[in-house]
Amino acid sequence: MVYILATILLIVGLFGVFTQKNLIKIIISVSIIESAVNVFLILVGYRSGGIAPLMTEQHSQAEVFALHSVDPLPQAMILTSIVISLSILALMVAISLRLYHVYGTYDITEIRKARLNSKS
Amino acid sequence: MEALLILLLLFMIISAVVALYTEELLSAVIAVGAVGFGSSAVFLLLGAPDLAITQIVVEVAALVLLIRATISIGVKTTSAWRSGWQPKAVAAAAVIFLVFAFLSFRDMPEFSVPVMDRIADAPSIFYLEDGLSSTGSTNHVMGVLLDFRAYDTLGEATIIFTAVFGTLTLLRKRGKKAVNRNEYSGEKTSPKG
Amino acid sequence: MKNRSLIIERVSRWMTPFIFLYGVYVVLYGHLSPGGGFPGGVILSSAFILILLAKGKQQALKNLPYGLAKKLDAIGALAFISVALLGFVFTGVFFANFLQQLWPGEPFHILNAGTIILNNIAIGLKVCASLFLVLLFLSILRISFGKKGQMQSMEDR
């Protein structure tokens, strides 16, 4: 059930990427896709009643701890993915600001029209 | 527990739909912030406090970036959607995608059973058992990230470096040479007197 | 930018040291508690971004000059690589945790995890400097609307 919900979130983002005209809306859709994928991968690694992969003084037996903790591997990978998504967002915002600077609009169909006009 | 999770995911889906359908860009940016904070709450429920902290902080920075891109240059509302056959085709593809995802989820382990319980020698079990003795880090996420799988972090740092310097190159003020070339368009070799 | 609110200015002046301190804590205790280099770096840069948003560009550049930010970015990347190379020198494996293997510390203590804490500091510096640079360039950039001549000449080419 929760997997399906995460997939629906991904599909909403994908739909936005393909159907929106505005560049900012497209950036927003990409970030929705990113958070959907992150949530899905964390859902896969969850154990019912699991504790966070942080050892404390009470849980210092490694073998016992391994039976109660959630999966640390997807968490580490998603931690890098979140920061990458921020830098990619900055790159996308920079590109769209430059496009706005040149063409005066965020609408990609108008940008394409302007490019075609300038070429011919 | 699972009911709360479903509620949070529904909240995220609703705010994603609002972010796509609203006309005003400020509302869209705030709604995508709601998606990010919802995912942060999901991480906190699923036993990932590192991710929750990172997601909250990153979401705030992303909101600042997006608002800088929209509101402060005066763009307030969006244009219409794409019309014609494209949205229908995308919707059909989305339905097909959802059906295949539903079929493939039957092969996955149930929710609240991690993959590392299914496989006998999964790497995660090794990380959890040997993490403290071989890295000394009690936070196993950091142990995996910076010791066992530090090559991934190296690649990630490379990506950040490249993306940030691409951003800085794009946003830099136009240099002297480019301005001159624009003023004398077509006569690139002629020096400015 | 001219009609800045007095409340925002005062509150940001009081909040900034605490945000900075929390960022340093998150970076240094990344191997014991939730946190680490990435969120700590973003928190550190958000302290500077708060100054940038509340008090303007000049004040932010007084706190973290442009050249220093560029140097910090490079130093962070270089420190990360050099820690990895030191592991290669000491034990023969790239990215080996040589400090923990040679001098193991006691668990649940800050001087414990060997190179993880050094890597955390390096990544924290790098993320902080690069995010601050991005926001600084975004605030410097002015979108010009009325320069029809420039657009014309770009389209002519």
Side-chain angles (χ1 to χ4, degrees):
Chain A
M1 178 65 191
V2 283
Y3 293 158
I4 294 293
L5 284 178
T7 315
I8 289 173
L9 189 59
L10 188 141
I11 286 175
V12 169
L14 212 59
F15 191 74
V17 169
F18 283 115
T19 56
Q20 294 286 336
K21 274 183 181 173
N22 194 303
L23 274 173
I24 297 297
K25 283 290 189 75
I26 291 176
I27 292 173
I28 282 172
S29 312
V30 169
S31 77
I32 288 172
I33 291 179
E34 275 161 358
S35 50
V37 172
N38 292 348
V39 164
F40 177 73
L41 285 177
I42 295 299
L43 283 173
V44 168
Y46 181 65
R47 183 200 298 274
S48 66
I51 52 177
L54 294 166
M55 273 192 179
T56 50
E57 305 265 358
Q58 293 96 31
H59 304 276
S60 54
Q61 295 287 324
E63 285 80 14
V64 182
F65 182 76
L67 291 178
H68 289 96
S69 165
V70 299
D71 202 342
L73 184 57
Q75 293 194 13
M77 295 300 107
I78 298 303
L79 188 60
T80 65
S81 153
I82 290 174
V83 181
I84 286 177
S85 76
L86 179 63
S87 57
I88 297 297
L89 184 87
L91 189 61
M92 287 192 292
V93 165
I95 291 174
S96 52
L97 274 176
R98 269 297 165 209
L99 281 174
Y100 190 84
H101 185 85
V102 174
Y103 293 104
T105 176
Y106 273 141
D107 197 326
I108 52 174
T109 53
E110 287 182 20
I111 289 175
R112 183 174 298 145
K113 267 182 216 160
R115 282 178 65 96
L116 286 179
N117 286 337
S118 69
K119 266 181 195 167
S120 61
Chain B
M1 173 67 200
E2 199 176 343
L4 189 56
L5 210 57
I6 288 172
L7 267 180
L8 273 172
L9 282 168
L10 280 178
F11 169 70
M12 284 170 67
I13 291 172
I14 289 170
S15 37
V17 172
V18 167
L20 290 191
Y21 272 85
T22 182
E23 296 265 309
E24 283 180 57
L25 277 181
L26 183 60
S27 314
V29 169
I30 290 172
V32 79
V35 174
F37 289 125
S39 76
S40 163
V42 169
F43 293 152
L44 200 56
L45 272 182
L46 294 179
D50 307 79
L51 290 178
I53 292 177
T54 316
Q55 179 74 41
I56 281 186
V57 177
V58 162
E59 203 59 42
V60 171
L63 281 185
V64 173
L65 274 172
L66 279 176
I67 286 180
R68 177 65 184 81
T70 57
I71 310 303
S72 57
I73 64 171
V75 183
K76 291 224 166 55
T77 55
T78 70
S79 47
W81 290 42
R82 277 179 193 275
S83 55
W85 55 274
Q86 283 149 330
K88 288 162 196 158
V90 172
V95 169
I96 294 171
F97 186 89
L98 195 60
V99 168
F100 274 94
F102 188 73
L103 290 181
S104 65
F105 284 157
R106 290 188 308 185
D107 292 340
M108 285 186 62
E110 282 288 306
F111 175 64
S112 77
V113 175
V115 182
M116 66 177 178
D117 280 7
R118 283 283 191 87
I119 306 167
D121 50 350
S124 303
I125 296 175
F126 169 71
Y127 295 150
L128 279 174
E129 284 178 349
D130 279 15
L132 184 59
S133 57
S134 59
T135 70
S137 164
T138 51
N139 185 354
H140 285 281
V141 177
M142 275 300 136
V144 172
L145 188 68
L146 291 178
D147 198 326
F148 290 120
R149 289 186 172 248
Y151 278 106
D152 288 338
T153 314
L154 182 64
E156 190 262 354
T158 316
I159 292 175
I160 292 180
F161 198 75
T162 317
V164 165
F165 272 78
T167 311
L168 298 193
T169 316
L170 279 169
L171 291 182
R172 199 168 47 195
K173 276 184 184 172
R174 188 167 302 173
K176 274 271 170 112
K177 272 185 187 172
V179 171
N180 286 348
R181 212 180 294 154
N182 265 336
E183 285 174 2
Y184 300 94
S185 65
E187 306 170 0
K188 286 171 193 167
T189 53
S190 71
K192 193 178 180 189
Chain C
M1 275 288 169
K2 276 172 188 113
N3 44 4
R4 252 182 229 121
S5 154
L6 182 71
I7 295 174
I8 289 176
E9 224 168 280
R10 292 285 157 169
V11 169
S12 68
R13 179 181 297 172
W14 279 94
M15 287 301 288
T16 311
F18 292 107
I19 296 174
F20 193 83
L21 195 64
Y22 181 60
V24 171
Y25 166 76
V26 166
V27 169
L28 285 186
Y29 280 76
H31 57 294
L32 297 178
S33 61
F38 301 105
V42 184
I43 293 169
L44 282 179
S45 77
S46 75
F48 294 114
I49 290 169
L50 179 62
I51 299 175
L52 183 71
L53 292 179
K55 295 183 190 169
K57 199 170 53 193
Q58 267 72 35
Q59 191 69 30
L61 282 178
K62 215 177 284 174
N63 278 297
L64 184 62
Y66 171 59
L68 183 63
K70 270 206 302 196
K71 273 175 201 151
L72 279 184
D73 197 351
I75 283 172
L78 204 62
F80 191 61
I81 294 291
S82 57
V83 167
L85 281 179
L86 277 178
F88 183 71
V89 167
F90 275 93
T91 62
V93 181
F94 200 59
F95 273 119
N97 197 340
F98 63 96
L99 283 174
Q100 175 69 17
Q101 285 171 11
L102 296 182
W103 303 286
E106 57 176 311
F108 308 110
H109 201 263
I110 181 167
L111 288 178
N112 175 29
T115 56
I116 288 180
I117 184 166
L118 298 177
N119 283 340
N120 263 336
I121 293 172
I123 290 177
L125 277 183
K126 178 166 170 38
V127 172
C128 164
S130 45
L131 251 184
F132 176 72
L133 279 179
V134 167
L135 263 293
L136 183 70
F137 270 67
L138 272 177
S139 75
I140 285 175
L141 181 78
R142 291 273 173 269
I143 299 291
S144 51
F145 294 100
K147 290 188 178 175
K148 277 288 174 188
Q150 220 174 44
M151 279 173 61
Q152 208 68 38
S153 68
M154 282 191 80
E155 283 168 2
D156 285 344
R157 265 193 292 164

